Amino acid sequence: MSHSTPLQETTERRDEPRMSRKQIALAILALSVGGFAIGVTEFAIMGLQPQAVADLFGEVNETTMAQGGQLVTFYALGVVVGAPVLALLGAKRERKAYAIFLLGLFAIAHVLSFFAATFELMLAARFLSGLPHGAYFATAALMAAQMAGPAKRARAISVVLSGIAIANLTGVPAVTWVGQQFGWRWMFAVVAALAVLTILLVMVYAPRQMPPAGASMRGEMRGLANQRLWVGIILAVVGFSGMFAIYSYISYIATDVSGFGESMVPMIVLIFGSGMVVGNFLGGWGSDKSVLGTVITAMTLVALFMVLFGTLAHIQWLMVPLLFLIGSSASMLGPSMQTHLIDTAPKAPQLAASFHHSAFNAANALGAMMGGWVIAAGFGLRAPAFAGATAAALGLLVTLYAIYLTRRAGEKV
């Protein structure tokens, strides 16, 4: 038994003009620049956390370290809340215009972050910054998949998501260095400028694209009555949380456990980012062959590398490649989970696509909290890696159940 997916259905539409390969590539790359901006703001704060904590609290200790993790958590909570709400509001809207609207909100929120004078105002601004994140990626992923066609949909999605991975390779280390030299708040100014640049690129290169015929908020809501979708969301939350348990505190681990100087933190972040780039494209390639097979592989590798990292992080020449391997294996989950969630809800593609980013950032918040809990409990800076390995092992069990449900529905695993 076989069912068409929402991405296959949208690619069969004929009411948009045909595009050349070059036009499609430019349009998808324009959308990926927005992902780059989002990746910078989501991850650069982790490398700049010591500077932020010192500025906002006046001192750095175990208590303020854990509080500083809220700068990660509140952004993530904004994504969790904003992704489904703004995705629903965009269900019937022309996608190019809606993507530009979301980018505008994103830029304004970062201007507010730049000027936030207190810790409480900064948390509020971080929450607002996260609101458009998931809805933008949902819109951009559906646009890219429709342009690329069903045979290359996961790879098209991986290109959009690659903005996050490439941000970790180039943008995050660069902005981390800028923040260390000129002040951590300049990260927000850089991200606002990137958002404005994306608006211009999308206006020039992306085509107008209407949602599927009959799309509606009510239809999207009805599509949520789906066990496979909710299992997929749980899987994404659990699966991604391990990565954030250590990455949220990577600057402290690099300096206090591995013995690197603070000046090496941008390089450490770059190495993690290079792993994310590799993993993102491996995930896209693997997911066009087997979506949940790629999830199983990635989850197993994350659990293994986390245990090794927690055990060997004090050895510099082992810590660095292990961090690369954690980044690559965890990022394999991005395209596979995005594709899986969309496939589980053929009647709610916009909302299902947004839930990937709600889940990813719920994992971000959960991982940062998990890392903070074990550090505050006195287990040390290695403990987040073991907490992350436990989460990945649990994710393997959830993946096996997702495979069972997929096969029961007669779908390809």
Side-chain angles (χ1 to χ4, degrees):
M1 179 176 175
S2 174
H3 303 284
S4 62
T5 70
L7 295 186
Q8 289 170 330
E9 289 170 0
T10 57
T11 54
E12 293 168 1
R13 290 171 58 88
R14 294 291 182 265
D15 52 351
E16 280 96 20
R18 295 183 65 85
M19 300 173 66
S20 68
R21 288 185 179 182
K22 180 179 178 181
Q23 288 173 320
I24 292 172
L26 288 172
I28 293 175
L29 287 172
L31 293 167
S32 75
V33 177
F36 182 88
I38 289 170
V40 170
T41 196
E42 185 168 22
F43 291 99
I45 193 65
M46 299 173 187
L48 291 170
Q49 202 175 132
Q51 289 78 18
V53 167
D55 181 27
L56 294 168
F57 293 103
E59 61 178 334
V60 178
N61 53 46
E62 287 188 350
T63 300
T64 57
M65 280 184 198
Q67 287 180 290
Q70 293 179 41
L71 297 173
V72 177
T73 300
F74 269 70
Y75 178 88
L77 292 175
V79 183
V80 172
V81 172
V85 172
L86 292 176
L88 274 176
L89 292 175
K92 296 178 63 176
R93 298 180 184 276
E94 190 275 313
R95 287 170 177 166
K96 175 179 177 177
Y98 198 57
I100 291 171
F101 166 73
L102 293 168
L103 289 164
L105 289 180
F106 185 74
I108 291 169
H110 279 79
V111 173
L112 295 176
S113 298
F114 182 84
F115 290 107
T118 66
F119 181 65
E120 291 74 21
L121 288 174
M122 181 60 71
L123 291 182
R126 289 293 286 168
F127 179 83
L128 291 173
S129 297
L131 290 176
H133 173 136
Y136 172 76
F137 269 122
T139 303
L142 290 171
M143 289 177 69
Q146 182 168 325
M147 287 186 281
K152 297 181 179 179
R153 63 196 181 111
R155 275 169 282 186
I157 289 171
S158 76
V159 172
V160 173
L161 295 178
S162 73
I164 290 182
I166 294 171
N168 277 277
L169 179 63
T170 59
V172 172
V175 170
T176 301
W177 180 85
V178 169
Q180 289 178 340
Q181 302 301 314
F182 304 105
W184 65 281
R185 290 176 183 271
W186 281 100
M187 177 196 78
F188 304 117
V190 171
V191 172
L194 287 170
V196 172
L197 173 62
T198 308
I199 289 172
L200 297 174
L201 292 173
V202 170
M203 290 175 65
V204 172
Y205 293 113
R208 284 177 53 83
Q209 190 181 100
M210 298 304 296
S216 67
M217 292 176 61
R218 183 175 297 178
E220 294 268 339
M221 291 295 291
R222 285 199 300 266
L224 297 182
N226 186 318
Q227 183 184 12
R228 288 177 60 211
L229 173 65
W230 292 105
V231 170
I233 291 169
I234 293 170
L235 171 58
V237 172
V238 174
F240 284 122
S241 63
M243 178 183 77
F244 289 109
I246 65 165
Y247 195 38
S248 298
Y249 303 93
I250 192 60
S251 58
Y252 301 120
I253 295 171
T255 55
D256 296 358
V257 177
S258 303
F260 288 105
E262 188 176 277
S263 63
M264 283 295 294
V265 172
M267 182 61 66
I268 298 295
V269 171
L270 184 149
I271 290 166
F272 185 88
S274 63
M276 291 188 70
V277 172
V278 172
N280 179 74
F281 288 110
L282 283 176
W285 174 81
S287 297
D288 276 330
K289 300 179 183 300
S290 173
V291 173
L292 290 175
T294 302
V295 175
I296 282 281
T297 301
M299 220 60 100
T300 302
L301 292 174
V302 169
L304 172 63
F305 295 141
M306 285 281 190
V307 170
L308 292 174
F309 184 88
T311 304
L312 303 170
H314 62 289
I315 304 174
Q316 291 183 351
W317 65 272
L318 288 176
M319 179 271 200
V320 171
L322 284 171
L323 192 62
F324 174 90
L325 292 170
I326 289 171
S328 58
S329 55
S331 290
M332 287 175 66
L333 292 169
S336 55
M337 289 308 310
Q338 178 79 89
T339 305
H340 176 63
L341 287 174
I342 293 173
D343 284 349
T344 61
K347 295 182 180 179
Q350 187 89 7
L351 198 53
S354 76
F355 273 130
H356 169 77
H357 302 283
S358 286
F360 184 84
N361 283 273
N364 190 338
L366 176 61
M369 287 190 289
M370 281 175 16
W373 288 335
V374 294
I375 291 170
F379 292 110
L381 289 167
R382 296 173 187 263
F386 295 110
T390 302
L394 180 59
L396 276 171
L397 298 178
V398 181
T399 306
L400 293 175
Y401 186 58
I403 290 173
Y404 163 74
L405 292 176
T406 300
R407 286 177 173 162
R408 190 177 69 176
E411 300 284 353
K412 178 184 175 183
V413 173

